[in-house]
């Protein structure tokens, strides 16, 4: 029945599955100085609408916000070097996300089935987009992959049915079925 929570000042980390399956959790207040959120920490918090991540966070565990279906927007803090595996998988209501410039990798299934995600600006220093990272983000219309990106793995943007145009660096390796077959891929 937990609807809101305040994590105590001075806490440096939130453990694995700490708030997992708190189905009625709508708000959470995180303290400044928090550095990590563990695997599946907020997974299946279906009513969580928003979360303000402190700038001090340097690690977000796998599926930390998986299946938070009501989550609308998130600003990931600068300092994260990757968007972890399944971080927002199944966040059907997620419309916008700000990925920090420090992120070098978007791991597998990071945004799996984020069906409301319309746009995402990829960081300028991004090096890799892993398998299925944006699989079935069916509202995503356009992607510009930065020149630093070396690989886009298989299925990375597959089933992104609204995707019309993708701009990819000419020396970037593209895996099988990385994009739907009808998508116009421009190499520059």
């Amino acid at each position: 029945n937990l609807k809101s929570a305040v994590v105590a000042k001075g806490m440096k980390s939130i453990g694995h599955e700490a708030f997992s399956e708190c189905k009625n959790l709508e708000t959470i207040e995180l303290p400044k100085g928090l550095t990590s959120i563990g695997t599946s920490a907020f997974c299946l918090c279906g009513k969580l609408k928003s979360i303000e991540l402190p700038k001090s966070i340097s690690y977000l565990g796998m599926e930390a916000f998986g299946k938070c279906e009501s989550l609308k927007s998130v600003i990931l803090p600068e300092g994260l070097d990757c968007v972890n595996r399944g971080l927002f998988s199944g966040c059907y209501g997620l419309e916008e996300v700000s990925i920090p410039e420090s992120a070098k990798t978007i791991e597998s299934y990071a945004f799996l089935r984020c069906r409301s995600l319309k746009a995402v600006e990829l960081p300028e220093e991004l090096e890799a987009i892993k398998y299925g990272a944006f699989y079935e983000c069916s509202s995503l219309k356009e992607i510009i992959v930065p020149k630093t990106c070396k690989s886009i793995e298989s299925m990375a943007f597959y089933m992104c049915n609204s995707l019309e145009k993708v701009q990819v660096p000419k020396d970037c390796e593209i895996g099988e079925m990385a994009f739907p077959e009808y998508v116009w891929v421009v190499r520059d």
Side-chain angles (χ1 to χ4, degrees):
N1 286 339
L2 185 66
K3 284 189 160 195
S4 67
V6 176
V7 176
K9 289 180 179 169
M11 290 288 290
K12 295 293 181 198
S13 67
I14 294 175
H16 302 316
E17 299 182 0
F19 292 90
S20 182
E21 295 190 51
C22 288
K23 294 178 183 1
N24 294 315
L25 185 67
E26 293 178 16
T27 61
I28 182 103
E29 190 177 317
L30 303 176
K32 291 179 179 170
L34 186 72
T35 58
S36 71
I37 294 177
T39 297
S40 301
F42 294 95
C43 189
L44 293 165
C45 292
K47 291 186 180 177
L48 187 65
K49 293 180 176 108
S50 66
I51 190 155
E52 189 173 328
L53 297 170
K55 293 178 181 174
S56 52
I57 288 189
S58 58
Y59 177 78
L60 294 171
M62 293 185 295
E63 295 186 23
F65 299 99
K67 296 183 184 84
C68 290
E69 299 169 356
S70 299
L71 198 59
K72 296 283 182 216
S73 72
V74 176
I75 298 172
L76 296 174
E78 200 58 52
L80 285 179
D81 63 351
C82 80
V83 178
N84 213 338
R85 182 183 179 95
L87 186 61
F88 296 105
S89 65
C91 291
Y92 305 129
L94 189 64
E95 295 174 3
E96 59 183 323
V97 64
S98 177
I99 301 173
E101 287 300 319
S102 57
K104 305 284 186 236
T105 306
I106 298 175
E107 294 291 347
S108 296
Y109 310 116
F111 298 98
L112 174 73
R113 294 191 180 99
C114 290
R115 296 177 180 146
S116 299
L117 190 62
K118 294 178 177 93
V120 64
E121 191 171 328
L122 299 175
E124 285 301 316
E125 300 300 314
L126 185 69
E127 295 173 3
I129 300 171
K130 300 293 189 172
Y131 184 94
F134 291 91
Y135 188 94
E136 204 178 317
C137 290
S138 52
S139 296
L140 202 56
K141 291 187 185 293
E142 184 178 4
I143 288 290
I144 298 172
V145 179
K147 295 187 186 318
T148 54
C149 192
K150 305 277 184 263
S151 72
I152 299 171
E153 292 185 4
S154 297
M155 309 295 247
F157 293 93
Y158 203 70
M159 298 295 290
C160 293
N161 296 333
S162 297
L163 201 57
E164 296 168 0
K165 181 181 175 186
V166 179
Q167 195 170 324
V168 180
K170 62 182 171 211
D171 58 345
C172 181
E173 191 176 309
I174 300 175
E176 277 186 62
M177 298 168 55
F179 305 100
E181 60 253 8
Y182 55 81
V183 172
W184 179 31
V185 178
V186 176
R187 303 281 271 189
D188 66 0

